[in-house]
Amino acid sequence: MFDALTDRLSSVFDRLGGKGVLSEKDVDEALREVRVALLEADVALPVVREFIAKAKERATGEAVIRSVRPADQVVKITYDGLVEMLGGEGEAVGLNLSLNPPTVILMAGLQGSGKTTTAAKLGLRLAKERKKVLLASLDTRRPAAMEQLATLATQAGVDSLPIVAGQSAPDIAKRAISAAKLQGYDVVILDTAGRTTLDEAMMSEAAEIARIGNPSETLLVADSLTGQDAVRTAKAFHERLPLTGLVLTRADGDGRGGAALSMRAVTGLPIKFLGVSEKIDGLDVFDAARVAGRILG
Ligand code: GDP
């Protein structure tokens, strides 16, 4: 997803490296090119502005120019800026599990974002950590979505809540949580109904389920390939739901990845996982340093 950005940045740094001795003007010029590269990759403008302001601050004075390898210093400044943009190295990643099980995890997002697949991927990940996991679909309008979750749960080797026709989403949430309590589940993952566009009914239903379920994690699943739309979706959901983190799917796709890079800075929410394939084990814990490293090639 970041290939184009990687190519652009490495050509900026190669040119800089070829110069040996750098003037302040060279550094300024390189940062200007980094700015253009980020904008072309679709990183949101305010995020780029902040990135460049901080990079300039770090590069000011003679420190960079006088250093043994000035070009490397510019690369380091860019790397540090990317890590910071992505939430920093110290940001708590992975899931917050309740000390008092069952932990409730609520999945939210637009239809087609990869929400149901991600719910099952999380189920598999937790099962590998020896947690007893129950998946429940609350998508009462799309029986196929309920079937899909049940099928994926079987693939992941975890249980799914038996489907009862005619129940409302809040009632299914209650039934899932009481089943989880009675049957000693460690984690119950509630997959809320998605719509193709942001709509009031979807938001208020998800908000009601959040009130009922009191989740330890409310994760927004967003499709990285939808660019700035994914950023707008995340902002809109965050206004209505107490989100605790983001999952960016289709990080394996070949769109411009800059919007995904903006998500953390724009929403203030940590990116917790990256969806990296259609397969049930295609979910990576998000690591800002690793992603920044990969972008710099
Ligand atoms: P939902 O409507 O949000 O529940 O979306 P689904 O979970 O049904 O996913 C929609 C499609 O995206 C399915 O074909 C998934 O296999 C696919 N998908 C989900 N996550 C990823 C991912 O990280 N990478 C790729 N390549 N495909 C994904």
Side-chain angles (χ1 to χ4, degrees), residues 110-117 121 142 148 249-250 252 275-278:
L110 293 180
Q111 191 176 314
S113 61
K115 198 162 43 64
T116 303
T117 311
K121 286 176 174 179
R142 290 194 312 142
Q148 185 199 359
T249 59
R250 298 204 180 86
D252 52 314
V276 295
S277 86
E278 275 187 291

Side-chain angles (χ1 to χ4, degrees), residues 59-229:
T60 47
E62 304 291 295
V64 169
I65 298 159
R66 292 250 175 93
S67 67
V68 187
R69 304 181 60 175
D72 288 354
Q73 285 293 106
V74 177
V75 177
K76 168 93 171 53
I77 285 166
T78 307
Y79 170 83
D80 289 346
L82 285 172
V83 172
E84 192 178 331
M85 184 197 284
L86 294 170
E89 288 194 61
E91 186 147 84
V93 286
L95 294 169
N96 238 330
L97 296 186
S98 163
L99 295 173
N100 192 9
T103 292
V104 177
I105 300 176
L106 191 65
M107 310 297 293
L110 293 180
Q111 191 176 314
S113 61
K115 198 162 43 64
T116 303
T117 311
T118 304
K121 286 176 174 179
L122 285 175
L124 175 68
R125 173 172 286 274
L126 289 161
K128 282 186 181 159
E129 293 168 13
R130 303 189 166 281
K131 304 285 184 225
K132 193 178 169 195
V133 182
L134 180 65
L135 294 180
S137 170
L138 310 185
D139 200 341
T140 53
R141 288 166 208 84
R142 290 194 312 142
M146 290 195 159
E147 303 283 349
Q148 185 199 359
L149 187 69
T151 307
L152 288 168
T154 308
Q155 273 178 37
V158 301
D159 295 333
S160 59
L161 189 74
I163 298 170
V164 175
Q167 253 190 337
S168 70
D171 284 346
I172 302 173
K174 286 178 198 154
R175 180 160 62 91
I177 293 164
S178 56
K181 279 183 185 154
L182 277 172
Q183 295 165 40
Y185 283 93
D186 299 304
V187 182
V188 50
I189 302 178
L190 303 176
D191 185 19
T192 60
R195 301 283 171 82
T196 48
T197 52
L198 289 168
D199 89 7
E200 177 50 33
M202 170 179 68
M203 290 290 185
S204 56
E205 184 178 280
E208 187 186 352
I209 290 158
R211 272 192 301 277
I212 292 168
N214 191 24
S216 304
E217 291 280 6
T218 302
L219 301 176
L220 178 79
V221 180
D223 180 348
S224 326
L225 297 185
T226 58
Q228 294 303 331
D229 274 345

Side-chain angles (χ1 to χ4, degrees), residues 275-290:
V276 295
S277 86
E278 275 187 291
K279 296 208 198 93
I280 191 97
D281 62 353
L283 189 72
D284 286 355
V285 171
F286 183 78
D287 179 338
R290 212 170 80 201

